Amino acid sequence: MIGSGSFKIQTMSKAGNRAAILECISTAEEIARVDIAQATGINAATVTALTSELLDEGIVEALMDEEKQNTKRGRPRVKLCLNPKAFNLAGAKISEDAITVAIIDFAGTLLSEHMQKGNSFAIPKHKLAANLKKAISVAVDKAGLHIDDITALGVGIPGYVDIASECVHWSPALSDTPTNFVETLRATFDFPVMLDNDVNLAALAEQRFGLGKGISDFLVVTIEHGVGMGIVLNNNLFRGTRGLGGEFGHTKVQLNGALCRCGQRGCLEAYVADYALLREADTAIKLQSANNLPTAQRLEALYLEAKSGNQAALSIFERAGKIFGMGLANLVNIFDPSLIIFAGERMQFDFLYEEDVLEELRRNTLQIDRAPPKVQVHKWGDLLWAKGAAAWATEYVIHQAAAKNNES
Ligand SMILES: [Zn+2]
């Protein structure tokens, strides 16, 4: 089933119609003209005219529908897809210790990936842009392309990013915030660059390549150093007015509670994120042997303590799990999504005793005689985030391509 709904438009400019058609083809991957008309609400004659243009421009390709071709009745039905060779897009995810780059074609197929280790957090924007440039040129090489073959770049960065004003208000990756990091990136690359909060791009990745495919309303919750959320409503990413929507980690769960990285008190993240669990552990139990280890290994040591029956360690996870479940229940009561995806690479979901979290979620959610939202865990690494960033660059290119032939 096509992700319908969001493309239905009453009257629209030619560029708007072209964009809606391209988005519809992109979402469906392969679709017949008649189904485009149905999904977008654009009349069949207009769909035929505009798709002919897009075919002539090499943006869209025609495929024979083999099923129909094999039947004796009627002409074979032609399906349309994006021409993979029309554009190449790059996406990058900036994380704690690495930059991960994905190069995809216009149809979303991965052409190459590259992870550049050794990125250190909280560095000046010029240095981060230079690191990014190095990582992208390696990925472009691996894809057998030249840097000039890239049409656009999407970048996901942790922190507070207002894409309208282009301001990164705060990011653990940058030492000189608030700042316009997009401007620096534009000066670094010869193609358009888009920057967004990394979790928003994770939601785009789930929508385009992952568990959110074809689902109109879903939430993506990530637990890494912080707790993030991407919101997809009616097939569109919801960012909020100031780009600060979906800051699930900073919803308040305790009056005058634990101190959060944001400077406020009682945030969910201050109980659930890795630094919060380790901070608790530092005061409740002594994990001397683990003190010099990296965060992930210290967390694992704490988890093993809990598993082996250390009551203090166990209660840290139990409390975090309960608070996390309660926070999730609040999300369900507000958004009533059909799906919540726990996404990310790291093992915090296991640490948080998944069943306890889900029980707390059920207990605090309004119940009716219809199934509650599905909860799915999707463990993946930085590559999918990078693909999400590239998917965002694809959206940009779709709108540029749609506007290109806008005279009539
Ligand atoms: Zn906070």
Side-chain angles (χ1 to χ4, degrees):
M1 180 61 204
I2 307 146
S4 55
S6 74
F7 309 116
K8 290 208 172 175
I9 295 141
Q10 298 304 316
T11 52
M12 204 182 235
S13 67
K14 182 176 172 186
N17 283 336
R18 277 168 58 104
I21 289 169
L22 282 170
E23 278 179 10
C24 178
I25 296 171
S26 169
T27 306
E29 293 176 6
E30 291 177 14
I31 186 168
R33 288 182 180 86
V34 59
D35 296 325
I36 296 175
Q38 206 199 354
T40 57
I42 300 169
N43 74 58
T46 307
V47 169
T48 301
L50 295 183
T51 52
S52 298
E53 276 182 16
L54 293 166
L55 280 161
D56 288 346
E57 291 161 25
I59 297 169
V60 161
E61 261 185 356
L63 302 164
M64 285 298 162
D65 186 334
E66 283 172 18
E67 254 175 58
K68 289 273 173 183
Q69 205 171 16
N70 291 337
T71 61
K72 287 183 182 161
R73 283 183 298 164
R75 284 188 303 161
R77 196 158 74 146
V78 173
K79 284 194 170 186
L80 301 176
C81 66
L82 296 183
N83 177 4
K85 293 194 171 64
F87 305 102
N88 299 299
L89 297 313
K93 145 89 170 161
I94 294 165
S95 64
E96 181 192 11
D97 56 357
I99 293 173
T100 306
V101 178
I103 308 290
I104 63 172
D105 66 22
F106 193 41
T109 304
L110 185 69
L111 301 178
S112 75
E113 58 182 285
H114 174 63
M115 181 187 269
Q116 184 172 290
K117 282 273 180 195
N119 190 51
S120 51
F121 253 20
I123 54 177
K125 59 181 177 178
H126 290 100
K127 189 144 194 291
L128 185 58
N131 289 352
L132 188 59
K133 189 175 185 178
K134 214 166 102 192
I136 285 171
S137 59
V138 175
V140 165
D141 256 11
K142 281 189 183 176
L145 298 171
H146 185 266
I147 193 79
D148 295 340
D149 297 327
I150 301 297
T151 312
L153 162 69
V155 179
I157 191 168
Y160 311 144
V161 183
D162 181 348
I163 63 165
S165 70
E166 300 190 336
C167 182
V168 178
H169 294 283
W170 172 81
S171 169
L174 287 168
S175 60
D176 41 8
T177 53
T179 185
N180 187 332
F181 185 42
V182 186
E183 214 168 60
T184 312
L185 293 174
R186 279 199 201 112
T188 307
F189 297 100
D190 291 329
F191 38 72
V193 184
M194 285 129 280
L195 181 77
D196 201 350
N197 170 276
D198 55 354
V199 187
N200 283 342
L201 300 183
L204 264 190
E206 289 290 358
Q207 185 184 36
R208 196 167 278 253
F209 308 110
L211 299 174
K213 235 175 159 177
I215 296 178
S216 60
D217 304 287
F218 68 93
L219 305 175
V220 174
V221 173
T222 62
I223 308 184
E224 303 265 318
H225 290 286
V227 178
M229 178 168 69
I231 305 166
V232 173
L233 295 177
N234 197 20
N235 295 304
N236 290 310
L237 195 61
F238 177 80
R239 290 186 171 89
T241 309
R242 298 171 300 151
L244 298 178
E247 289 295 343
F248 178 43
H250 303 287
T251 54
K252 305 299 180 273
V253 292
Q254 185 79 49
L255 195 63
N256 300 320
L259 186 63
C260 177
R261 289 188 305 171
C262 73
Q264 298 185 348
R265 286 192 173 273
C267 297
L268 178 82
E269 164 173 322
Y271 294 91
V272 171
D274 52 9
Y275 75 86
L277 296 172
L278 291 172
R279 183 173 59 190
E280 283 282 300
D282 282 344
T283 48
I285 47 173
K286 300 277 175 258
L287 279 173
Q288 299 294 1
S289 60
N291 269 353
N292 297 323
L293 296 174
T295 302
Q297 288 175 38
R298 288 178 67 205
L299 202 56
E300 201 166 340
L302 181 63
Y303 184 60
L304 290 175
E305 284 287 323
K307 277 275 177 199
S308 65
N310 182 327
Q311 201 49 50
L314 191 59
S315 65
I316 291 172
F317 289 113
E318 279 175 353
R319 184 168 77 140
K322 277 197 169 140
I323 290 176
F324 185 49
M326 190 172 75
L328 290 172
N330 289 340
L331 295 181
V332 171
N333 291 336
I334 293 169
F335 290 104
D336 190 19
S338 60
L339 173 66
I340 297 179
I341 303 167
F342 293 163
E345 179 180 31
R346 302 181 37 199
M347 292 173 62
Q348 274 92 330
F349 299 124
D350 301 336
F351 294 149
L352 289 175
Y353 292 85
E354 198 179 312
E355 263 319 302
D356 292 354
V357 171
L358 295 181
E359 181 49 38
E360 197 65 17
L361 166 62
R362 278 189 287 269
R363 232 169 43 79
N364 288 294
T365 308
L366 299 173
Q367 304 291 341
I368 55 166
D369 60 354
R370 281 181 56 187
K374 258 198 290 181
V375 176
Q376 285 185 282
V377 178
H378 190 194
K379 281 189 185 168
W380 41 255
D382 284 359
L383 178 63
L384 199 72
W385 301 69
K387 278 183 81 180
W392 194 36
T394 308
E395 280 190 11
Y396 167 83
V397 167
I398 281 177
H399 283 87
Q400 289 300 108
K404 205 175 82 180
N405 198 329
N406 196 26
E407 293 80 31
S408 48

